[in-house]
Amino acid sequence: RRCVQETDAEYMGDVSNFKQLLKHYEGKQYKKGLKLADKILENNPDHPETTSLKGLFYVLTDKKDEGAKLAKGALAKALKSEICWHIYGIVHRTMLNYPEAIKCYTTALRFDPENIQILRDLAILQIHTKEYEGLIDTRYKLLMNKPNFALNWVSYIVALHLSGGYQDALKAFDSAYKIVEKDLKLQEKSEMHFYKSMIYEDLKDYKNMLENLRTHEKEIVDTIGYHEFCYRACRYLGDNQGALQHAEELLNILPENDQYYNFCLLASGLDPNVKENNEKILEVYNRLAEKHSSSSVLKIRFLRVASGELFRTKINDLLKKYFKKSMPSIFAELKFLYLSLIHISEPTRLLSISYAVFC
């Protein structure tokens, strides 16, 4: 990845070798880079940019102290060189000293405010250090450099979003979508609509979150993601009937997903962890079993709430099916039953298990 730019030919002395030096850095050929740096420094021993790169190569080949000292010394000879400041920032970044790296990048930008690569490197570290206000400024400068580039818009919107500026992020999103919509593929449009709904969700504007999803349903290719987002929006709005519809749509797609059964229960006003709800939970499961009778997850869920003869029937059917298919993993899946027997002391269940296994 390009990290520095070439200086003027008169100042460089050997532009072609320096370009090759940069290629060695980009290609992670650090030992070759060291050899070439020594060759350049033989002809021009006081060249600070090459000395800085040599220090960076040392850092990248586990000679961190020596390399950092060399890069710092080169910087002292060229305090107005954006290249030396940039390289010294990369040295700090490599040594995980992010605050100092940011200072170096910021100083480098004083001498070359339009340097795209330095701005990109700075933006990455501002995310690492959660300096979101600075990130907004950096991403805005990158956006102004290529205002028709979708990625620059998305990065700027993310910066606003991370800083808590949800309304500003939504305004930027609307402006961006008008500019880049014609260049977006269907998958990219789908992701954009999801992201806008995420911003609405963080803003706690659940009505617009749901409206945005339903307005652009035909442009959303991730059906599962669409129903999950809609389920959450409906739950936030207290529309349990709507939430239940989306939960059941999810089960139609993935009937073996355990979480979606919880979605159905919660949308039905039932807490799966409250024992007093077991009878109503069984009613929900019986209704779901009409469509998903072959679901192993649903069969096991029946065992969590069934008792007496119903429990014995369900576990017999389940174990016989697994034994016929030689699937010993069923014991791991039914481990929760043994734990519940110990804690709630239901000898009837224990006898039922034993009978089903051994008879």
Side-chain angles (χ1 to χ4, degrees), residues 21-132:
L21 195 63
L22 295 178
K23 288 181 180 179
H24 286 324
Y25 169 76
E26 293 160 8
K28 298 184 179 182
Q29 298 175 314
Y30 305 135
K31 292 184 179 179
K32 288 184 178 180
L34 281 171
K35 290 180 181 179
L36 184 56
D38 288 334
K39 180 180 178 181
I40 295 173
L41 291 172
E42 284 178 7
N43 299 326
N44 192 351
D46 294 324
H47 187 256
E49 282 82 0
T50 302
T51 306
S52 290
L53 267 175
K54 182 179 178 180
L56 178 57
F57 286 138
Y58 273 140
V59 171
L60 294 169
T61 52
D62 293 328
K63 296 180 180 178
K64 294 184 178 181
D65 292 338
E66 186 178 351
K69 185 177 180 181
L70 199 60
K72 185 177 181 179
L75 178 62
K77 296 178 183 178
L79 290 174
K80 293 185 178 182
S81 168
E82 74 278 6
I83 295 176
C84 288
W85 278 108
H86 189 192
I87 294 173
Y88 195 45
I90 295 173
V91 168
H92 279 300
R93 184 190 70 192
T94 304
M95 299 173 74
L96 306 182
N97 190 355
Y98 297 146
E100 287 301 317
I102 288 176
K103 290 179 183 178
C104 291
Y105 292 157
T106 304
T107 305
L109 288 169
R110 284 169 49 195
F111 304 111
D112 189 2
E114 308 267 324
N115 191 304
I116 300 303
Q117 188 56 58
I118 299 177
L119 286 169
R120 286 174 180 167
D121 286 351
L122 176 60
I124 291 171
L125 289 192
Q126 285 170 329
I127 291 177
H128 271 296
T129 56
K130 298 183 179 180
E131 292 188 19
Y132 299 135

Side-chain angles (χ1 to χ4, degrees), residues 143-179:
L143 173 62
M144 291 300 99
N145 179 260
K146 284 187 178 181
N148 294 322
F149 189 35
L151 182 59
N152 283 345
W153 273 106
V154 172
S155 299
Y156 177 58
I157 295 166
V158 169
L160 292 169
H161 186 188
L162 290 173
S163 71
Y166 304 130
Q167 294 290 2
D168 291 335
L170 290 168
K171 289 178 183 177
F173 184 97
D174 292 336
S175 299
Y177 200 75
K178 292 176 184 177
I179 295 171

Side-chain angles (χ1 to χ4, degrees), residues 45 47 71 106 136 149 155 168 220 236 251 262 284 297 359:
H47 187 256
T106 304
I136 292 172
F149 189 35
S155 299
D168 291 335
I220 295 177
Y236 289 137
L251 279 176
N262 276 340
V284 174
V297 171
C359 296

